[in-house]
Amino acid sequence: MSYRREHRSSRASLFNDLEDGSLRPSSSYSQDINEHDNDKAVESLQDRVIFLKRITGDIHEEVENHNRFLDRMGNDMDASRGIMSGTMDRFKMVVN
């Protein structure tokens, strides 16, 4: 019997009234659930933001490395162009 009373009292604490033929959870219970769900959602969003921040940092680092590589390649191509130009000038002199 005491189990039934405890069950009824706990059930009564969870539900306030019957509305439109359905049970409506008590405001404190639904507020606790909403806060818990919100806390989970916030933690999930924080994890996603941290993950995205890490990815964008990695992308930034990769772009910087590629920019340095392309700058060096451009400088090497300019140097090669200068060497080739000098070689062509000497070749023209030999042909003439």
Side-chain angles (χ1 to χ4, degrees), residues 2 9 12 28 34 38 40 46 54-55 65 70 77 84-85 90-91 96:
S2 67
S9 66
S28 64
N34 287 338
N38 285 341
K40 280 185 175 180
Q46 286 174 337
R54 190 177 328 130
I55 288 175
N65 288 337
L70 290 172
M77 293 298 280
M84 287 297 285
S85 176
R90 279 185 244 134
F91 184 71
N96 289 338

Side-chain angles (χ1 to χ4, degrees), residues 4-67:
R4 286 186 179 182
R5 284 185 205 147
E6 288 176 16
H7 179 68
R8 286 180 186 167
S9 66
S10 65
R11 188 172 178 195
S13 68
L14 293 177
F15 300 100
N16 283 338
D17 299 322
L18 287 173
E19 259 185 27
D20 301 327
S22 63
L23 294 173
R24 193 184 95 214
S26 69
S27 62
S28 64
Y29 179 73
S30 63
Q31 184 177 5
D32 289 342
I33 289 176
N34 287 338
E35 286 180 18
H36 181 69
D37 290 343
N38 285 341
D39 290 342
K40 280 185 175 180
V42 166
E43 288 175 13
S44 175
L45 284 174
Q46 286 174 337
D47 292 343
R48 290 177 184 177
V49 167
I50 290 168
F51 179 71
L52 288 174
K53 185 176 179 181
R54 190 177 328 130
I55 288 175
T56 55
D58 292 345
I59 290 171
H60 176 74
E61 184 178 331
E62 191 71 22
V63 167
E64 291 292 323
N65 288 337
H66 285 171
N67 281 339

